[in-house]
Amino acid sequence: GAGVSQSPRYKVAKRGQDVALRCDPISGHVSLFWYQQALGQGPEFLTYFQNEAQLDKSGLPSDRFFAERPEGSVSTLKIQRTQQEDSAVYLCASSLGTGAGYSNQPQHFGDGTRLSIL
Amino acid sequence: TQLLEQSPQFLSIQEGENLTVYCNSSSVFSSLQWYRQEPGEGPVLLVTVVTGGEVKKLKRLTFQFGDARKDSSLHITAAQPGDTGLYLCAGLDSNYQLIWGAGTKLIIKP
């Protein structure tokens, strides 16, 4: 597709269940970002990949959160033993690259996965 | 911790009015991006400002980067209901990572 695709769009899970959120970035985009967004707030950085390498995971709130991008394209964000405070919209973004040569490249966002933990 | 402060957090005005949204920081950014996000969608880039003092116009929207590259403003002239949305600023720090503001929720009433 032409844009960033995320699935599912909506996910409802019971507290304690594991969930997996998928992101399909724009073809050829080296950088991939995951964000958590509360209602009416700006995105909060979770983690960042450059190709298959996870270069920054400083924003992951706990060790229950895990992200991977094994082949440098599709990425999965997994949340284990979900808790109610995990309820949020999870946004994925991709860009051509990061670093000095790509400093003004925009991030292209998917429409997010709205996760509700009951 | 948010290093970019956006104000106001929420603004509701009548169609035809003018408004300004601010994005402030104590940090210097190499560039700053403005995004708009509509409900149920991801943010979409509006503009990138790079040079201190730079002004960019996008129809009725005017974006300015502060001389010291620590702050930015977005001015909308004659606001229309279609301008409704969450406006986000994001600054590129020295590690080439985007630092996001918390957003300004704008509602334009017809």
Side-chain angles (χ1 to χ4, degrees):
Chain A
V4 177
S5 178
Q6 290 187 249
S7 61
R9 285 299 312 275
Y10 303 93
K11 176 69 178 178
V12 179
K14 292 183 179 179
R15 186 163 54 98
Q17 288 184 331
D18 299 347
V19 297
L21 313 180
R22 176 188 168 106
C23 173
D24 205 331
I26 293 174
S27 178
H29 277 195
V30 168
S31 298
L32 185 145
F33 304 82
W34 283 99
Y35 293 92
Q36 183 188 64
Q37 187 176 31
L39 189 65
Q41 297 293 311
E44 293 278 354
F45 172 80
L46 294 177
T47 187
Y48 151 62
F49 290 85
Q50 187 157 308
N51 295 307
E52 70 277 6
Q54 189 174 19
L55 298 187
D56 188 347
K57 54 182 181 179
S58 62
L60 296 177
S62 76
D63 58 8
R64 296 186 296 104
F65 286 71
F66 172 76
E68 60 183 3
R69 194 187 185 198
E71 298 179 359
S73 56
V74 171
S75 177
T76 303
L77 176 67
K78 297 179 180 177
I79 309 174
Q80 297 176 326
R81 304 181 303 282
T82 53
Q83 300 178 6
Q84 285 190 320
E85 60 261 33
D86 299 335
S87 296
V89 174
Y90 290 84
L91 292 168
C92 175
S94 70
S95 70
L96 279 172
T98 55
Y102 302 92
S103 57
N104 296 325
Q105 287 296 321
Q107 293 187 9
H108 299 265
F109 284 83
D111 288 337
T113 293
R114 181 176 295 278
L115 177 64
S116 297
I117 305 301
L118 305 178
Chain B
T1 304
Q2 296 276 10
L3 298 180
L4 269 176
E5 297 287 336
Q6 282 192 245
S7 61
Q9 290 183 321
F10 178 78
L11 185 59
S12 179
I13 62 173
Q14 292 294 137
E15 180 178 3
E17 293 184 6
N18 302 330
L19 67 109
T20 302
V21 173
Y22 299 93
C23 179
N24 295 299
S25 176
S26 57
S27 303
V28 175
F29 295 104
S30 57
S31 65
L32 193 136
Q33 300 176 354
W34 283 93
Y35 291 77
R36 187 174 84 188
Q37 184 177 21
E38 300 192 28
E41 299 181 6
V44 176
L45 180 72
L46 295 174
V47 77
T48 301
V49 285
V50 179
T51 307
E54 181 177 5
V55 176
K56 281 192 173 178
K57 292 191 175 183
L58 188 65
K59 296 184 180 178
R60 295 173 294 99
L61 278 61
T62 301
F63 304 85
Q64 183 161 8
F65 203 10
D67 291 341
R69 292 184 287 129
K70 293 182 179 181
D71 53 84
S72 182
S73 64
L74 157 60
H75 183 77
I76 302 180
T77 304
Q80 298 179 1
D83 296 329
T84 292
L86 179 68
Y87 288 80
L88 296 157
C89 64
L92 194 69
D93 71 8
S94 56
N95 294 317
Y96 302 103
Q97 296 296 327
L98 275 182
I99 306 300
W100 291 83
T104 293
K105 186 172 183 180
L106 176 63
I107 295 176
I108 310 300
K109 295 175 287 188

